[in-house]
Amino acid sequence: MLNVWCLCAHAQPSARERIFLNGTWGFCMDPQNIGIAQRWMDRLFTETVILPGSMAQWHKGIRNTQPTTQHLNTTWSYAGKAWYQKRVCIPVSWKNRSAILCLERTKATTVWMDGIPVGKSTLLSAAQVIELGYPEPGWHTLTICVDNTPSLFPVGGSHALSVHTQTNWNGIIGNIFLERRSDFQLAQIRVKPDANKRLFQLGIRLRNAYKGKKTARIKIEALAWNTGKKHIAKTQWYNIIADSVELDYRLGRDALFWDEYHPALYRLTVTLYDKRGIADRMVLNAGLRSFFPQGTQFRINNRVTFLRGKNESCVFPLTGFPPATVSAWRRLYRIAKQYGINHYRFHSYTPPEAAFEAADIEGIYIQAELPNWSNFNSKNSFQNRFLYKEGEAILDAYGNHPSFVLLSLGNEPAGDETVPDKMIKELRAYDNNRRLYTAGTNAFYNDPHPRAGEDFWVTMRTGKETADGGFDVRGGFATTEDRTNGILNSMQPNTRRNYAGAIRTLDLPVVGHEIGQYQLYPDYTELPQYTGVLQPANLQIFRERLQKAGMGDQAADFCRASGMLAVQLYRREIEMALGTPGFGGFQLLDLQDFPGQGTALVGLLNAFMRSKGLVSPQTFRQFCNDRTIQVLMDTYTWTNDESFTADVQLVNYNPEHVSGKTVHWRITNPKGQVLGSGKWRIGKESKAIIPVGNIRFPLSGIAAATKLNLQVILEGTACRNSYPVWVYPFKEELAVPAGAIIARTLDDKTINALQTGANVLLFPDLESIKEKSVGGQFITEFWNWKVFKEAAAKQQRPQSAGTLGILTWPELPLFDHFPTEFYTSWQWWPIVKNARPLILDALPAAYRPLVQVIDNVDRNHKLGLIFECRVGQGKLLVCMTPLDQLKAYPAARQLYYSMLQYMASEHFRPATVLSAGQLKEIL
């Protein structure tokens, strides 16, 4: 079998004629699996489809009439055998020459030529190459049976087959062609760059025995083609003395290097000569780079780099499968780069070659993965052989690409550790040590520890779960993994926290696994974008549920408010990682939505990589980039008897030096007036994280509750950042207005007081209303509430509150003394964390609480954190957080003060009248 990669060369070599088979094919479904027994390969099919493509694109299969909310819905689905047939004409010039069939990407196949079996394959991750023997010139019938039955592939929930993203499509995508083979040919070329010596090591294997071809020679040429600075390396000739040779091709002292900033690519032309002249030629791209671990970080060309990654889970709603064109992948990478991303992790699958070619051009570091989301088992020889074969094929097909720097054996595997240890060792030897390996992404996470053979470690924590998250290397978790949903939910907000303690004993690079996963409420305005094989029936069901719950008009506000909270959470996730000395990187889950596994809309971009309008790329790059300024402070909330203090550091993984540059800081009030400022000059650099200076700013001049803005700027660059700082008066008197009552229960005494005209502020006893409320939670729900609710119940772990932040209206008189946004910001942490939002489903459909908590799409409660009503002659204000017990928190104390002032003002005029019976029902 001819090695796969050589079929994807950039230029068509003259010695290799190809017949491309794109176009109309005969087609027939075989749902009963009778085709082989009845010899359908001898029939002519009357139905037709267009290849490359899938059955779903041509409305073949079983029409879906039962929508699910678990993922986007395939209109047409099919699992089993389907037959494809085409008449092909072999040219006279191919007489007495062997030929192959190349199927760039498909499922399990069996191939017949004129009814005679010629080959089969189950390869998922690279092109299938079928030997056709020596076909006679003239017309032939090519028949291919494609079988996408899941049991044929021992890959667990791998995104190579998963209905949650890629779909388990049946068809053939990418290049489909016949190729004539020569008697004497280049069978394989492996390029291993040696950046230190400025050369490419070429391992060349020839097809057919060398037998007497003593005059055979190889000529190698190289041209840097995608850079402003051109470089043509010296042509070099080599005599061939064996069927397999190792050659050093030197590029010279002017050689150009490949990295994310200057992804210089050389077009290598390798020409094989025999005594008759040119026997074969192959053209491929290569990049001169070194990528290796040093301590706990990665180095590219002897310079430390930090991986700012995203997961790519094969989310392509229009087709249900990944694109096979370079232009499509370049578009995606360019969008990601606008958000500061330099790294792609392909989740439990490996993309077509176009993704690697585009990454080479755009300067993206790729982590590919075996198509595996299952546990290792040394006794499962079927699975182990399958995975090893996939690994070899991935390395053969894409191993020359400079962007391909990391390989993982799959997503979150557990089981027998001897299997990945052996597989890494064997694949590394097979590949001649050309990239870095890990046993799996977040492998063995129930007992996290790196293995001796791993070059790097992608993990969510570096030790077992602890109460203080001491081993965590991400900020959020499901309760199945952390009882408190992680440090961003459980610990008072600050900007000093990083992961230095979690990696202090390690000696290999650590990459934060799937950081983020903060769910946003759906953006229903994107529904018209789904014009392909996957339809948003899940989103339509969610929208209908919201409408039935009487809140359909709030969908856009829910999306914006939950999204703005998610932006802040993603920011802190990224800042904690970047701010950790010696950290290796992170992999976001995700910059874009994941429309499966219960529908996990965790992206600031939608499934099409289009913005939801929540944060601009420029703003995102302020905290996610190769150079960022960070302000380290103990809290976001202060009182005016304090002095604001903070430290400033510059995180600099950019190759440009910053020594001698000036950093400016300034604090402004809501009117833009500068209250304080200063500057520092950066001294000699020594590490990636550079201490810049300290800020000390007295707050005594701020008399009223105010949100300040702290801005830091690196002079002469686009590097800048800003932080909110809330300042509250220290000595606000929490005086209850005359005639008002503070109540703990809605008992007869309280109701009678309301009926006779009293103003009541009610802090319900949270334990007594537990069954009529949901839990308090700061973060917007991790991934998907329903998925982890069921998992937590099985594991007898706490269940997450399931909420998506607050929605309120800053202009309300309630907030005259508590400046706020319409969404959850850091000042709200003690308030929402200690709350139990009340279920208000029984109240009139049009009723809206003053501070509403957004519920998830599976539950759709109308939830009140603060709400008001009239009862008889009286007025009632209800707060589901015991603010009177949280006075130690400046924000909680200030909100309490603002509520008391509101009750004493003429603005306290609730419009909704409720009866005592209605109140008793909800409370």
Side-chain angles (χ1 to χ4, degrees):
M1 179 178 291
L2 187 63
N3 279 277
V4 173
W5 81 267
C6 62
L7 298 172
C8 303
H10 293 276
Q12 177 64 38
S14 60
R16 294 192 176 186
E17 297 179 23
R18 288 179 178 175
I19 302 171
F20 285 89
L21 304 180
N22 299 2
T24 303
W25 285 64
F27 173 78
C28 190
M29 290 188 295
D30 187 8
Q32 298 177 322
N33 192 21
I34 58 176
I36 293 178
Q38 295 184 0
R39 291 199 58 80
W40 287 10
M41 68 288 295
D42 296 329
R43 299 183 180 180
L44 293 179
F45 304 149
T46 56
E47 289 185 73
T48 60
V49 294
I50 304 295
L51 293 179
S54 72
M55 287 175 56
Q57 289 181 304
W58 301 107
H59 299 174
K60 305 292 185 180
I62 301 170
R63 192 176 184 91
N64 179 19
T65 59
Q66 296 182 331
T68 178
T69 60
Q70 289 299 299
H71 46 74
L72 293 173
N73 286 230
T74 309
T75 307
W76 298 87
S77 61
Y78 185 81
K81 290 184 171 66
W83 295 65
Y84 302 84
Q85 191 177 78
K86 194 171 186 69
R87 293 278 288 166
V88 298
C89 185
I90 301 299
V92 174
S93 60
W94 289 26
K95 186 175 179 61
N96 297 325
R97 295 293 181 91
S98 64
I100 57 92
L101 168 68
C102 175
L103 310 174
E104 182 170 356
R105 182 138 307 192
T106 182
K107 303 299 172 60
T109 60
T110 306
V111 181
W112 295 264
M113 179 78 89
D114 298 325
I116 299 171
V118 290
K120 58 177 56 179
S121 176
T122 60
L123 198 59
L124 290 176
S125 303
Q128 295 182 8
V129 180
I130 306 296
E131 302 275 0
L132 300 180
Y134 293 79
E136 287 294 320
W139 287 97
H140 298 267
T141 300
L142 184 66
T143 305
I144 305 172
C145 178
V146 177
D147 193 345
N148 65 331
T149 301
S151 60
L152 296 174
F153 311 96
V155 298
S158 163
H159 291 325
L161 295 172
S162 172
V163 297
H164 289 270
T165 56
Q166 180 168 181
T167 76
N168 182 23
W169 51 272
N170 189 303
I172 306 169
I173 66 172
N175 285 318
I176 310 170
F177 58 83
L178 304 178
E179 181 178 278
R180 187 191 76 173
R181 295 176 62 172
S182 302
D183 290 336
F184 189 43
Q185 194 172 52
L186 296 163
Q188 183 186 60
I189 300 176
R190 283 186 175 173
V191 180
K192 183 178 181 179
D194 188 329
N196 291 329
K197 295 182 180 179
R198 290 178 166 79
L199 60 80
F200 292 127
Q201 296 176 2
L202 274 66
I204 300 177
R205 185 166 58 82
L206 305 178
R207 178 180 176 269
N208 283 353
Y210 178 66
K211 294 178 184 174
K213 300 187 185 328
K214 300 185 182 298
T215 58
R217 301 183 74 198
I218 282 179
K219 180 177 72 172
I220 303 178
E221 303 161 280
L223 165 69
W225 62 270
N226 68 327
T227 63
K229 182 179 180 181
K230 299 297 182 182
H231 179 233
I232 301 175
K234 182 180 178 181
T235 299
Q236 296 177 39
W237 290 83
Y238 305 84
N239 292 323
I240 302 301
I241 58 174
D243 297 334
S244 181
V245 294
E246 301 284 336
L247 307 175
D248 284 351
Y249 179 70
R250 299 185 180 277
L251 297 171
R253 68 192 324 179
D254 296 327
L256 304 179
F257 294 88
W258 184 96
D259 65 13
E260 63 187 283
Y261 303 101
H262 306 288
L265 292 173
Y266 281 93
R267 181 165 288 127
L268 287 178
T269 302
V270 181
T271 307
L272 175 66
Y273 291 83
D274 60 15
K275 62 183 179 182
R276 294 170 297 182
I278 296 177
D280 195 14
R281 175 180 291 126
M282 293 179 67
V283 182
L284 61 147
N285 278 337
L288 185 62
R289 62 104 175 108
S290 62
F291 191 91
F292 59 92
Q294 185 174 66
T296 57
Q297 294 193 290
F298 299 100
R299 297 184 75 87
I300 177 77
N301 302 332
N302 291 317
R303 189 184 69 252
V304 175
T305 191
F306 189 101
L307 298 183
R308 305 179 304 280
K310 77 173 292 296
N311 273 266
E312 207 299 298
S313 299
C314 209
V315 178
F316 298 99
L318 298 184
T319 60
F321 53 72
T325 64
V326 173
S327 60
W329 283 103
R330 289 189 72 181
R331 169 189 167 268
L332 296 175
Y333 293 147
R334 285 179 172 181
I335 292 171
K337 286 170 67 176
Q338 290 176 4
Y339 290 84
I341 298 299
N342 68 352
H343 165 51
Y344 258 59
R345 174 242 174 161
F346 288 89
H347 185 304
S348 64
Y349 92 108
T350 292
E353 182 160 28
F356 292 89
E357 293 183 10
D360 292 344
I361 296 169
E362 295 295 339
I364 295 291
Y365 305 122
I366 282 181
Q367 175 184 312
E369 286 187 7
L370 302 192
N372 179 36
W373 194 347
S374 57
N375 291 338
F376 295 116
N377 183 346
S378 59
K379 297 181 180 179
N380 190 339
S381 57
F382 170 55
Q383 179 192 62
N384 296 334
R385 283 196 304 269
F386 177 87
L387 293 178
Y388 186 75
K389 183 178 178 182
E390 292 286 319
E392 284 188 331
I394 289 169
L395 296 171
D396 283 343
Y398 318 120
N400 291 334
H401 291 281
S403 58
F404 183 11
V405 295
L406 307 173
L407 180 64
S408 166
L409 302 188
N411 179 68
E412 298 188 342
D416 186 346
E417 294 193 30
T418 64
V419 175
D421 292 347
K422 181 174 183 290
M423 195 171 293
I424 285 176
K425 183 177 180 180
E426 292 176 348
L427 289 176
R428 181 184 282 118
Y430 179 82
D431 191 44
N432 192 23
N433 205 28
R434 288 193 292 173
R435 67 208 78 251
L436 307 182
Y437 291 81
T438 187
T441 310
N442 203 33
F444 306 99
Y445 63 83
N446 286 325
D447 182 19
H449 59 278
R451 276 143 297 281
E454 291 184 298
D455 299 308
F456 66 104
W457 188 21
V458 185
T459 184
M460 63 185 185
R461 56 169 56 107
T462 60
K464 292 189 176 182
E465 177 186 353
T466 60
D468 65 351
F471 294 110
D472 297 350
V473 288
R474 72 183 192 202
F477 287 84
T479 58
T480 55
E481 300 158 343
D482 186 298
R483 292 179 178 274
T484 62
N485 280 124
I487 59 178
L488 291 188
N489 187 59
S490 63
M491 297 187 179
Q492 184 167 340
N494 68 83
T495 61
R496 289 195 183 274
R497 180 75 184 240
N498 64 29
Y499 305 131
I503 66 169
R504 66 183 183 280
T505 62
L506 299 173
D507 59 0
L508 82 171
V510 173
V511 178
H513 170 68
E514 294 183 358
I515 75 168
Q517 304 190 51
Y518 299 111
Q519 188 172 42
L520 286 70
Y521 199 82
D523 176 11
Y524 297 125
T525 64
E526 74 180 45
L527 293 180
Q529 298 178 32
Y530 291 87
T531 59
V533 303
L534 289 169
Q535 292 300 305
N538 50 347
L539 302 183
Q540 291 165 341
I541 292 171
F542 297 148
R543 182 172 60 176
E544 291 168 4
R545 288 176 179 174
L546 189 68
Q547 291 167 345
K548 289 179 180 178
M551 295 179 287
D553 62 316
Q554 293 189 282
D557 289 337
F558 286 174
C559 177
R560 286 196 312 132
S562 62
M564 292 307 296
L565 172 55
V567 169
Q568 296 171 88
L569 296 169
Y570 274 106
R571 171 176 174 164
R572 278 305 299 144
E573 288 273 8
I574 292 168
E575 286 181 333
M576 286 191 293
L578 276 168
T580 301
F583 204 57
F586 61 79
Q587 294 169 350
L588 285 174
L589 186 55
D590 195 359
L591 189 60
Q592 70 182 113
D593 281 340
F594 184 102
Q597 291 181 20
T599 305
L601 305 180
V602 295
L604 304 178
L605 310 183
N606 68 16
F608 302 92
M609 287 284 279
R610 294 169 184 153
S611 174
K612 297 180 182 180
L614 299 167
V615 60
S616 69
Q618 295 82 3
T619 299
F620 199 87
R621 287 200 306 273
Q622 288 181 7
F623 54 84
C624 181
N625 211 338
D626 59 358
R627 178 187 290 154
T628 64
I629 306 179
Q630 296 184 347
V631 175
L632 309 181
M633 51 189 177
D634 296 322
T635 179
Y636 290 91
T637 56
W638 302 75
T639 54
N640 61 3
D641 66 328
E642 300 177 295
S643 286
F644 172 79
T645 58
D647 301 313
V648 178
Q649 66 182 19
L650 179 67
V651 180
N652 187 47
Y653 290 98
N654 187 296
E656 180 184 337
H657 293 293
V658 294
S659 297
K661 291 185 179 293
T662 300
V663 173
H664 295 264
W665 69 268
R666 65 183 181 184
I667 294 178
T668 57
N669 65 16
K671 295 181 180 180
Q673 298 169 324
V674 177
L675 305 182
S677 63
K679 63 182 180 180
W680 310 275
R681 185 174 294 276
I682 298 174
K684 187 176 181 180
E685 307 170 47
S686 59
K687 295 182 179 180
I689 298 181
I690 307 166
V692 173
N694 315 105
I695 298 173
R696 183 176 179 84
F697 175 70
L699 301 174
S700 56
I702 300 171
T706 305
K707 178 188 174 185
L708 303 179
N709 182 57
L710 170 60
Q711 188 177 43
V712 282
I713 301 170
L714 180 62
E715 187 177 65
T717 72
C719 182
R720 60 190 60 218
N721 213 338
S722 60
Y723 291 78
V725 177
W726 288 271
V727 182
Y728 310 114
F730 174 65
K731 294 184 178 180
E732 297 282 29
E733 291 294 334
L734 299 179
V736 178
I741 298 172
I742 307 297
R744 300 289 184 274
T745 59
L746 191 70
D747 54 15
D748 290 341
K749 180 180 177 181
T750 304
I751 290 175
N752 288 337
L754 283 167
Q755 296 285 13
T756 57
N759 289 352
V760 176
L761 173 54
L762 176 64
F763 293 116
D765 175 66
L766 299 187
E767 189 63 30
S768 68
I769 51 88
K770 196 169 185 179
E771 300 304 317
K772 296 177 179 290
S773 61
V774 302
Q777 177 173 292
F778 178 74
I779 65 169
T780 183
E781 180 61 16
F782 183 91
W783 192 250
N784 176 277
W785 174 74
K786 188 175 181 180
V787 167
F788 284 107
K789 172 180 177 291
E790 295 169 356
K794 290 180 181 177
Q795 298 176 25
Q796 297 183 328
R797 301 270 293 188
Q799 294 182 7
S800 176
T803 53
L804 308 179
I806 68 167
L807 169 66
T808 191
W809 296 264
E811 66 276 10
L812 291 174
L814 174 70
F815 300 121
D816 282 351
H817 302 277
F818 186 80
T820 186
E821 293 79 16
F822 65 90
Y823 52 87
T824 313
S825 54
W826 297 109
Q827 65 169 343
W828 281 91
W829 179 82
I831 301 163
V832 299
K833 188 72 176 63
N834 291 284
R836 284 204 67 87
L838 193 67
I839 299 170
L840 304 179
D841 298 349
L843 296 187
Y847 183 80
R848 299 289 183 260
L850 300 175
V851 179
Q852 185 171 356
V853 173
I854 305 166
D855 203 7
N856 64 74
V857 293
D858 289 297
R859 197 168 53 192
N860 289 288
H861 287 315
K862 182 189 297 180
L863 297 172
L865 181 62
I866 302 175
F867 58 97
E868 64 182 8
C869 63
R870 285 186 179 274
V871 183
Q873 299 299 312
K875 294 174 288 186
L876 175 66
L877 183 63
V878 182
C879 181
M880 301 307 299
T881 302
L883 296 177
D884 56 339
Q885 301 173 28
L886 301 173
K887 296 174 185 176
Y889 294 103
R893 179 184 175 89
Q894 187 65 29
L895 179 58
Y896 190 14
Y897 172 80
S898 193
M899 292 175 66
L900 293 173
Q901 294 300 304
Y902 170 58
M903 291 182 68
S905 74
E906 63 179 11
H907 300 295
F908 185 36
R909 299 192 300 267
T912 301
V913 178
L914 299 179
S915 68
Q918 288 176 300
L919 283 175
K920 287 181 177 179
E921 182 178 353
I922 63 171
L923 284 164

